[in-house]
Amino acid sequence: MSDHEGSASGDFPAEEMSEYLRLYLDETGEQLDALVNTLLALEADPTNAAGLNEAFRLIHSIKGSSALLGLDRITTLTHHLESHFERLRSGRRVLDGEVMNVVLRCIDFLRTCSEHLRTGEPLDSAGDLLDEVKALERSGAGVAAAPPVTDSRARTTGIMPGKDLASQTERVANDWRVRVEFAPALPMAEMKAELILTRLEQFGAIVDLQPPRSTLRDIVGLPAFEAVLRSAVAAEDVAAACRPDGVVDVVVESVPPGTRAVAVAISGADEGGAEDVEGHDDEPLPPNSARGPEPDLPHVQPARPEKGRASAGLVETVRVDVHRLDVLLNLTGELVVNRARLSQLAGDMAPAFGKTTLAVRTQGVSDALKEVRDNVDPALAVTVTDVLEQMETLHQHARLWDDSRQRFAELMAAIDQLARVSDSLQRGILNTRMVPVGPLFSRFRRTVRDIAMELGKRVHLDIVGEKTELDKRMIDEIGDPLNHLVRNCIDHGIEPIDVRLRHGKPEVATVRLVAVHRGNSVFITVEDDGGGIDTARVGQIAVDRGLLAADTVEALAERDLIELIWQPGLSTARAVSDISGRGVGMDIVRTKIAALNGSIDVESTRGRGTRFTIRLPLTLTITRCMLFRLPQGVVAVPIENVREIVSITGQAQVRVSGRQICDVRGEMLPVVTADDLFSWSGEPSAATSVSDTVVILTANRRTVGLRVDALLGGQDIVVKPLDEQFAHVRGLGGASILGDGSVCLLLDVANCLDTIQRADVGEANASSESQRSHS
Amino acid sequence: MWPRSPTTYLLASSTGESTTMDAAGLAPVVVSADGARGGQFVGFRLADQTYVFRIERIQEIVIPTALARVPDVPAYIEGVTNLRGTIVPIINLRLLFGLEAKPADAETRTVVVNVAARTLGCTVDSVTRVMRIAAEQIHAAPDTVATSGRSFIEGFARIGDELHIVLDVESLLDPAKLEMVHRMGMTQFDG
């Protein structure tokens, strides 16, 4: 592979690259638009500080993202523009017509670049424009108050047009050999080298460079470089420009013209060599041509099409307010519901249009009547004639009816078609809302670094599955809980370094963030290799805080002790810190996730680590549910909360502390009714005959049976939050409109089971207390 | 002036029944000496008393449809219903005011109002008519009414022989104040 490809996609797989490129193009397009507006405002008021700052900021961010993608030409141009605006900002130069023209042409050039990147064409050279921008810079430098970079002659000529100045500067220029050494293993040394070179280019031309510019970026851990700079500035200024962080040594010495940098010189490196180096890529390379092994083929724009990406081009995107998508999704939901209603109505009507021979029969009756009429006495015949006339009308209707059968078949076909279209529409709209979790996950790199530093721990964040997609709304909502979990892992989970070393663990702990798509759900796990949950401490705290009685805690299994972390008011951090430990965390995390119709589980092994697994539905708004009839009305239960449906007919009624227990294939499960879950106002429903149908509900590793009157089958429902118009009711996840237009409530099973558990624990506490008071 | 619904939907019920009230909101607002505002009102009955809501607060009037009962809420919240795709809570004004419940009949209506960006329905015994009440016909509620916590009573209007109670929808149905309205009720209210 040539360097070109190496530099183009070395950092990213091609697919990911194109994803970044798409983002880059969207962003840059917006920034260019904003820049033009800002410039136009500046044209009227060239010294407006806010405007100049804004322009500077925009150019800076375009430069930043271009550099990230290795779009060198754009980076170089924007870099020069940026430094020019820096000068405008500081008042050393005024934004006059000349500057404005050059800047606007640069913007046009950048637009063209974006266009080419989008279509996959090679980029144009920025050579001339770059010259002009540089010329502006030099003329600017001349006007500047006292930059100690030019001798008096240069300063006096500073008022002359840029080009002339440049040539004059050239005339008095020396050649400086500049050798810069970086600290060993300095991260991003090659970027620093670029930075230094760009700075040097402001002083004059880089006549020679070793290693060649084209390969510079590919040398990881660049130890040093050497350049020959032709410039009129003083040696100390050159040296000062070469001193970013990480440079350990700079040698600047005057050399006779024509001196080369040590080692192989690149071809064509004469006067204006820097531009020439970039100028190499003028001749557009055919996208898939065998580029051969030329070692110093200059790396051009890396977004150049590769491996078949050329013809595809890039997809254009539109940024849309997410609320508009919400509205669309809601409307689609309505459409789906209405379609269901239509299907239901048509289904109900179908028997009426079944295969009948109504017209044939009415015809038969008419014929029979005619015969009767001809053979009865005239007095009766009059009556029969009347009946015959009625029969005739009936017959006509019957024929109409028969004809409509065909129409009805067409109606059914149309409804089927509508069903297909509305389903695709719904899927399509849902897809528009899906975004990858990558950017969300990446945010945690910073969080992890900061917290780890603060706590004096060393943590590596491992991210897996960043391309997994989730509903946009879900991504927005899951950020906080995830943040809490990640903080928790580092703060509570991961031991201090000395403890880790004592236990023979690596000094650098690992926190893993994993997203996977399985079935209708996305699973996100947050995992650490820390000390695991200290169950003894958790139990102790629960007792100390008065959440549970000591003997209750003693009786709890390890598993149940771990589950205590979800209790409000429990935190095992020894000190309350900024990071976590206010004891409001985990229960809120669980509540938030439950509000997203998701669930969270924890597994922990002492000394090995803790893993939180979050299950989220793919989308917030559509949930696959089972529908049941309760005495109080129809309820929906998310399908993943329904373990099974059993009949407990004929089972002996066993009651343990007020709770009925049933035997499901040897497993003893509590069975509750809707009245145990909620208090229902209004007249008590006439639930005289107790149903024996029990739905086994499960969430957060708890299982309870719920008696229902009837099963109504499975259905995809569009969930609407209750609190939009009303109030949140604990234990309800929302409501939905069914095919017949009626409303059903969605059970939030996790919360319902919590209610049951609390009731039971309350009972247990009360009874243990009463025992204690007896003894 | 019409916070949520397009004017074409105004007072057009989902069941096809409709009452024409076009341009009602454009009626000039007359302010009387004691600050009461005149305008158009919709009258409805609960037990043997007539109440009025300002027409601009009303989105539509519908015949009650099937309700889904909601648990863990006060009894005066009858449940939620589907209003053209929006799930809307229904408040029974009789129960809210502490009056005796009455089974729904052919006259029963749901008055859909907009309060604080929410839409909710009020079950009433019947809707009487739309009326114009001049500002000077409205007598502000006596201070004792306001201080007794019944600030949801805006005033009284005598129309013919009958005294109408002008209700302030915002303070009556503000979700945060509903419980207080319920406690105060109308039962011991002697006007």
Side-chain angles (χ1 to χ4, degrees):
Chain A
M1 284 280 140
S2 71
D3 315 323
H4 161 60
E5 283 210 350
S7 65
S9 51
D11 298 341
F12 311 104
E15 209 179 318
E16 205 162 305
M17 180 73 195
S18 93
E19 178 65 23
Y20 282 118
L21 186 57
R22 199 168 56 74
L23 281 173
Y24 163 82
L25 288 173
D26 285 348
E27 212 177 85
T28 309
E30 282 174 15
Q31 285 163 344
L32 287 175
D33 289 343
L35 185 56
V36 170
N37 286 337
T38 313
L39 285 173
L40 294 181
L42 279 172
E43 194 153 41
D45 179 10
T47 53
N48 182 307
L52 288 170
N53 278 334
E54 173 68 356
F56 178 80
R57 188 188 64 76
L58 287 166
I59 294 172
H60 181 79
S61 51
I62 296 174
K63 177 180 106 169
S65 37
S66 309
L68 204 69
L69 287 188
L71 301 171
D72 291 353
R73 290 189 175 180
I74 298 178
T75 314
T76 316
L77 183 67
T78 43
H79 173 79
H80 287 284
L81 269 182
E82 185 192 6
S83 34
H84 194 68
F85 266 87
E86 176 56 42
R87 228 162 299 153
L88 292 172
R89 216 156 58 134
S90 58
R92 278 184 280 159
R93 168 90 203 204
V94 180
L95 184 63
D96 53 18
E98 184 202 350
V99 179
M100 183 67 84
N101 285 341
V102 175
V103 174
L104 286 176
R105 276 176 44 218
C106 288
I107 293 175
D108 290 343
F109 171 75
L110 292 176
R111 283 236 169 92
T112 319
C113 286
S114 292
E115 204 49 54
H116 285 187
L117 286 173
R118 206 182 281 281
T119 53
E121 289 169 45
L123 296 191
D124 294 333
S125 164
D128 292 351
L129 259 180
L130 206 56
D131 284 345
E132 288 191 49
V133 176
K134 285 184 186 170
L136 283 179
E137 275 167 28
R138 286 179 203 134
S139 68
V143 175
V149 289
T150 48
D151 61 18
S152 57
R153 263 177 301 171
R155 212 175 299 156
T156 50
T157 55
I159 44 168
M160 297 174 74
K163 284 259 174 192
D164 290 353
L165 170 71
S167 55
Q168 290 214 349
T169 315
E170 219 67 77
R171 248 183 274 136
V172 297
N174 291 322
D175 276 8
W176 301 102
R177 194 207 312 262
V178 184
R179 188 177 170 81
V180 176
E181 264 178 55
F182 294 109
L186 177 70
M188 297 202 298
E190 67 283 3
M191 291 295 280
K192 296 215 152 114
E194 287 275 352
L195 176 72
I196 294 169
L197 288 171
T198 321
R199 282 187 189 170
L200 292 179
E201 274 170 353
Q202 291 179 40
F203 296 142
I206 291 173
V207 187
D208 196 10
L209 176 65
Q210 185 59 39
R213 189 97 182 235
S214 50
T215 56
L216 199 61
R217 297 256 335 241
D218 300 333
I219 302 174
V220 176
L222 181 77
F225 72 89
E226 195 167 306
V228 177
L229 172 73
R230 181 163 300 165
S231 168
V233 298
E236 50 268 35
D237 292 320
V238 174
C242 302
R243 285 236 173 248
D245 282 355
V247 172
V248 289
D249 194 22
V250 178
V251 181
V252 180
E253 51 185 352
S254 183
V255 289
T259 309
R260 297 256 141 156
V262 178
V264 199
I266 53 168
S267 58
D270 49 12
E271 222 171 278
E275 274 89 0
D276 252 336
V277 167
E278 289 152 5
H280 267 295
D281 35 349
D282 286 0
E283 67 276 18
L285 292 163
N288 285 319
S289 70
R291 254 174 257 110
E294 308 124 304
D296 58 352
L297 182 72
H299 65 297
V300 267
Q301 74 298 352
R304 122 139 348 142
E306 276 157 35
K307 297 169 198 150
R309 247 192 311 129
S311 53
L314 279 165
V315 189
E316 288 202 51
T317 60
V318 180
R319 291 196 178 189
V320 183
D321 181 353
V322 74
H323 294 294
R324 289 199 192 180
L325 289 181
D326 285 351
V327 171
L328 273 184
L329 186 65
N330 257 330
L331 287 174
T332 324
E334 292 314 314
L335 183 66
V336 169
V337 165
N338 278 322
R339 191 268 300 161
R341 176 93 182 117
L342 269 182
S343 307
Q344 195 179 330
L345 284 174
D348 293 349
M349 283 165 68
F353 289 97
K355 194 123 187 86
T356 62
T357 45
L358 200 57
V360 176
R361 288 188 197 176
T362 48
Q363 188 64 53
V365 175
S366 292
D367 292 349
L369 281 173
K370 274 179 199 151
E371 205 154 304
V372 171
R373 183 191 55 189
D374 297 344
N375 294 315
V376 293
D377 68 278
L380 258 177
V382 178
T383 321
V384 174
T385 311
D386 276 357
V387 175
L388 254 175
E389 272 165 28
Q390 305 271 347
M391 209 53 225
E392 198 53 41
T393 323
L394 261 181
H395 181 62
Q396 274 167 18
H397 275 277
R399 278 220 303 273
L400 263 180
W401 195 256
D402 278 358
D403 292 347
S404 305
R405 252 208 337 257
Q406 178 57 29
R407 294 255 172 275
F408 183 75
E410 285 170 23
L411 177 67
M412 291 295 260
I415 290 174
D416 278 352
Q417 177 66 17
L418 175 67
R420 274 194 298 276
V421 171
S422 62
D423 287 352
S424 319
L425 183 64
Q426 190 177 39
R427 265 198 307 279
I429 300 259
L430 281 177
N431 269 339
T432 60
R433 303 168 52 93
M434 301 302 266
V435 290
V437 297
L440 173 70
F441 277 11
S442 305
R443 253 172 43 194
F444 292 112
R445 291 194 190 281
R446 178 71 197 275
T447 315
V448 166
R449 183 190 150 276
D450 289 356
I451 304 172
M453 292 258 269
E454 193 177 320
L455 298 172
K457 298 177 182 178
R458 296 193 58 193
V459 182
H460 168 72
L461 179 66
D462 196 6
I463 290 178
V464 181
E466 57 265 77
K467 279 193 196 156
T468 311
E469 289 190 328
L470 256 183
D471 190 292
K472 169 82 172 90
R473 181 80 76 72
M474 201 91 72
I475 297 256
D476 295 345
E477 300 280 327
I478 197 70
D480 279 354
L482 270 187
N483 195 19
H484 197 94
L485 290 177
V486 169
R487 283 166 173 267
N488 221 58
C489 280
I490 303 171
D491 193 16
H492 301 189
I494 289 168
E495 319 89 326
I497 290 177
D498 51 332
V499 177
R500 286 185 71 85
L501 291 176
R502 214 167 37 241
H503 287 108
K505 288 184 174 186
E507 184 183 338
V508 180
T510 303
V511 171
R512 274 163 69 86
L513 263 177
V514 183
V516 286
H517 178 185
R518 222 181 296 147
N520 247 340
S521 306
V522 167
F523 292 83
I524 298 178
T525 53
V526 182
E527 192 180 353
D528 66 58
D529 62 349
I533 292 172
D534 185 346
T535 45
R537 247 189 89 68
V538 170
Q540 185 56 45
I541 291 172
V543 175
D544 291 351
R545 305 251 165 105
L547 297 173
L548 286 177
D551 44 358
T552 317
V553 169
E554 266 168 46
L556 286 178
E558 179 88 356
R559 167 87 246 147
D560 297 326
L561 281 169
I562 292 175
E563 290 292 317
L564 283 178
I565 63 164
W566 304 112
Q567 293 289 322
L570 204 123
S571 170
T572 53
R574 275 153 211 271
V576 171
S577 68
D578 250 8
I579 295 152
S580 51
R582 273 155 302 193
V584 290
M586 299 313 280
D587 63 314
I588 287 184
V589 168
R590 178 170 266 195
T591 312
K592 273 207 124 175
I593 288 168
L596 298 172
N597 293 329
S599 61
I600 178 165
D601 274 327
V602 58
E603 295 160 80
S604 173
T605 315
R606 232 25 211 115
R608 298 282 295 280
T610 309
R611 179 195 302 161
F612 292 96
T613 305
I614 301 172
R615 186 200 58 77
L616 291 170
L618 274 181
T619 166
L620 265 182
T621 39
I622 298 194
T623 314
R624 181 85 191 146
C625 284
M626 290 290 286
L627 266 56
F628 303 105
R629 184 180 303 288
L630 296 179
Q632 293 85 357
V634 176
V635 295
V637 178
I639 202 100
E640 52 279 339
N641 293 124
V642 179
R643 200 183 77 183
E644 60 184 312
I645 298 157
V646 296
S647 170
I648 53 167
T649 315
Q651 279 205 11
Q653 303 273 313
V654 187
R655 287 192 165 272
V656 177
S657 60
R659 198 62 84 203
Q660 197 199 330
I661 302 292
C662 79
D663 173 3
V664 180
R665 292 189 304 276
E667 188 184 2
M668 304 310 274
L669 290 176
V671 174
V672 299
T673 65
D675 289 316
D676 296 321
L677 295 178
F678 301 105
S679 77
W680 301 83
S681 61
E683 64 266 48
S685 34
T688 42
S689 63
V690 176
S691 153
D692 282 334
T693 307
V694 169
V695 179
I696 312 287
L697 302 177
T698 172
N700 299 331
R701 293 162 196 271
R702 267 189 250 142
T703 308
V704 163
L706 172 68
R707 273 180 198 278
V708 298
D709 283 2
L711 309 176
L712 302 178
Q715 198 175 324
D716 280 328
I717 65 169
V718 178
V719 183
K720 306 197 171 211
L722 265 184
D723 52 359
E724 205 166 80
Q725 300 293 337
F726 188 28
H728 179 70
V729 176
R730 195 182 160 82
L732 294 183
S736 178
I737 297 169
L738 300 179
D740 61 359
S742 67
V743 177
C744 80
L745 300 175
L746 177 74
L747 285 192
D748 171 354
V749 174
N751 258 323
C752 288
L753 299 195
D754 275 356
T755 309
I756 297 289
Q757 160 113 355
R758 252 198 309 279
D760 288 351
V761 168
E763 186 109 337
N765 276 355
S767 66
S768 70
E769 235 143 67
S770 69
Q771 277 168 13
R772 233 170 309 165
S773 62
H774 283 308
S775 56
Chain B
M1 187 144 293
W2 307 103
R4 290 176 75 89
S5 68
T7 35
T8 47
Y9 274 131
L10 177 77
L11 299 179
S13 79
S14 55
T15 50
E17 187 202 55
S18 76
T19 315
T20 313
M21 254 185 237
D22 41 11
L26 306 176
V29 174
V30 186
V31 179
S32 79
D34 59 357
R37 283 185 304 126
Q40 284 194 307
F41 292 81
V42 175
F44 60 86
R45 293 186 69 83
L46 293 175
D48 41 15
Q49 175 64 52
T50 302
Y51 302 82
V52 297
F53 277 162
R54 284 188 184 277
I55 200 169
E56 55 273 28
R57 290 284 163 224
I58 297 177
Q59 177 180 321
E60 58 191 296
I61 295 165
V62 298
I63 294 177
T65 51
L67 274 177
R69 290 170 61 188
V70 178
D72 291 352
V73 293
Y76 55 79
I77 296 177
E78 290 188 273
V80 291
T81 194
N82 165 23
L83 182 73
R84 287 194 306 280
T86 308
I87 292 177
V88 170
I90 303 295
I91 292 174
N92 188 316
L93 283 193
R94 262 181 178 263
L95 297 181
L96 179 66
F97 288 156
L99 303 170
E100 204 179 312
K102 168 176 171 286
D105 58 28
E107 294 290 297
T108 309
R109 290 291 178 275
T110 301
V111 181
V112 180
V113 297
N114 295 308
V115 180
R118 286 167 192 251
T119 304
L120 40 84
C122 302
T123 311
V124 299
D125 289 0
S126 63
V127 171
T128 58
R129 65 195 176 93
V130 181
M131 58 195 94
R132 184 175 290 280
I133 305 178
E136 51 274 18
Q137 281 174 281
I138 303 176
H139 307 286
D143 287 349
T144 52
V145 171
T147 51
S148 72
R150 295 192 182 91
S151 57
F152 53 86
I153 297 179
E154 195 180 323
F156 305 92
R158 182 167 293 283
I159 292 168
D161 293 338
E162 215 189 338
L163 196 66
H164 290 20
I165 298 178
V166 183
L167 293 174
D168 174 7
V169 177
E170 302 264 289
S171 28
L172 179 69
L173 299 176
D174 179 345
K177 292 185 190 157
L178 271 178
E179 220 12 72
M180 197 184 70
V181 170
H182 181 55
R183 270 205 312 281
M184 303 313 301
M186 283 285 179
T187 40
Q188 297 90 42
F189 181 65
D190 46 21

